Amino acid sequence: MKITPDMIVFAMLAGMAALSAVGVVAFRNAVRSALCLVFTFFLLGFLYFALNMEMLGITQIVVYTGAIMVLFLFVIMLLNLGASHVLEEKSDPKKVIGIGFGVSLAVLLASQIVPVLIKVNAPTAPEGFGSPQVIGNVLFTDYVFPFEAVSILLLLGIVGSVLLAKRRLS
Amino acid sequence: MNGVPLAGFIGLSMFMFITGVVGVIIRRNPIVIFMCIELMLNAVNLAFLAFARYKFSGLANVNQGAAGQMMVVFVMAVAAAEVAVGLGIIMAIYRLKENIDVDELNLLKG
């Protein structure tokens, strides 16, 4: 297989994304985990651009790094969980079991999918495949019912979170 | 990205998903567990988009090929709703118990 410049760019983006994904799990401090997650989502946005999905790349950056991660950081600050002494992670057998489980899952999946997919190296989608026009066109014709269902779900989410945050549990 | 095999994208997606699974198992802070769930959702999104781009041939038109992207749009919307409600629940639990270690939360134990 020939090494192309595209491959080097992809390897750098993917390597950084994988490293910061590990950082989310490895850091003890919740704020550091959250910042690692922001970085991962940003790099994923770039990878979506690399796949010619402009619309979803922008949505990824706006929704995840702009909205969801701000919510996470807001709650961490509100609960004052930044200091690691609040939740000292003790050593327990769960860690070894979890990592062993992860490694075995990785070996199982990789042995099944990599030999099949390593041969596929030419994208077949046409230009403008991920453009806002195509997404909007499909979203409001073929997928209009799921679209409305999701809008109701988001409304329920707003009402539910306000209710949960307001009510005193006792 | 010409020349990058599909296995590269799927491999990254697999790695991120497994990192999320391991994080959910080993971490005890519910907010970090939530972050790991987000990581898993994003890994699946990446797999959807990579397949949508690389396995397009054989489909009748662009609308049919956009199914993967539509799935990603809906996953993002559901993830946003899930995070809002989930963090609300964590806030409520914190006000009740002043402690959010998932190993100490045994309110549902009969």
Side-chain angles (χ1 to χ4, degrees):
Chain A
M1 196 167 18
K2 224 170 108 263
I3 304 282
T4 59
D6 280 353
M7 247 175 189
I8 297 168
V9 172
F10 172 77
M12 279 165 59
L13 283 176
M16 282 194 289
L19 262 184
S20 51
V22 170
V24 175
V25 178
F27 276 123
R28 287 179 167 211
N29 190 327
V31 177
R32 285 186 188 162
S33 293
L35 291 176
C36 271
L37 197 59
V38 171
F39 194 57
T40 313
F41 287 164
F42 222 84
L43 288 171
L44 271 180
F46 287 153
L47 282 173
Y48 293 175
F49 283 124
L51 283 167
N52 280 9
M53 312 271 182
E54 300 91 3
M55 180 67 196
L56 286 173
I58 293 167
T59 315
Q60 166 84 9
I61 290 173
V62 170
V63 171
Y64 273 105
T65 58
I68 291 182
M69 290 321 294
V70 169
L71 203 61
F72 267 112
L73 285 171
F74 204 69
V75 170
I76 291 170
M77 306 285 178
L78 213 59
L79 297 188
N80 199 15
L81 288 176
S84 55
H85 64 82
V86 176
L87 206 59
E88 201 62 58
E89 305 256 349
K90 297 185 285 279
S91 68
D92 57 351
K94 242 175 17 180
K95 247 171 210 172
V96 182
I97 295 169
I99 291 169
F101 175 73
V103 169
S104 51
L105 191 61
V107 170
L108 184 70
L109 280 177
S111 67
Q112 294 300 312
I113 61 175
V114 170
V116 182
L117 297 181
I118 198 84
K119 293 190 283 284
V120 184
N121 55 10
T124 51
E127 283 295 313
F129 168 62
S131 65
Q133 287 93 328
V134 171
I135 302 260
N137 197 4
V138 178
L139 196 59
F140 289 106
T141 53
D142 292 357
Y143 290 86
V144 70
F145 181 67
F147 178 76
E148 295 297 337
V150 160
S151 72
I152 294 171
L153 179 76
L154 284 174
L155 184 65
L156 287 177
I158 296 167
V159 175
S161 56
V162 168
L163 208 69
L164 276 169
K166 247 184 82 161
R167 197 177 48 177
R168 285 246 158 239
L169 294 175
S170 56
Chain B
M1 287 262 159
N2 291 315
V4 179
L6 179 54
F9 286 99
I10 301 302
L12 175 63
S13 159
M14 190 189 80
F15 181 81
M16 281 175 57
F17 188 86
I18 289 167
T19 312
V21 172
V22 172
V24 168
I25 294 173
I26 69 175
R27 292 304 299 261
R28 289 157 65 227
N29 184 337
I31 294 180
V32 179
I33 290 176
F34 251 107
M35 289 184 208
C36 291
I37 293 171
E38 291 301 311
L39 202 59
M40 284 196 268
L41 289 172
N42 271 275
V44 173
N45 281 354
L46 181 63
F48 267 123
L49 291 185
F51 276 120
R53 176 132 172 81
Y54 280 81
K55 291 284 187 183
F56 190 87
S57 59
L59 298 177
N61 52 30
V62 174
N63 285 14
Q64 223 178 350
Q69 296 181 72
M70 287 300 109
M71 198 70 202
V72 173
V73 170
F74 294 132
V75 166
M76 279 179 184
V78 173
E82 173 237 326
V83 165
V85 175
L87 290 177
I89 291 173
I90 290 175
M91 293 282 294
I93 291 173
Y94 184 74
R95 275 204 303 237
L96 186 66
K97 300 232 347 168
E98 291 288 318
N99 179 13
I100 54 164
D101 188 334
V102 285
D103 288 351
E104 310 284 324
L105 294 178
N106 49 12
L107 284 174
L108 284 180
K109 206 187 257 177

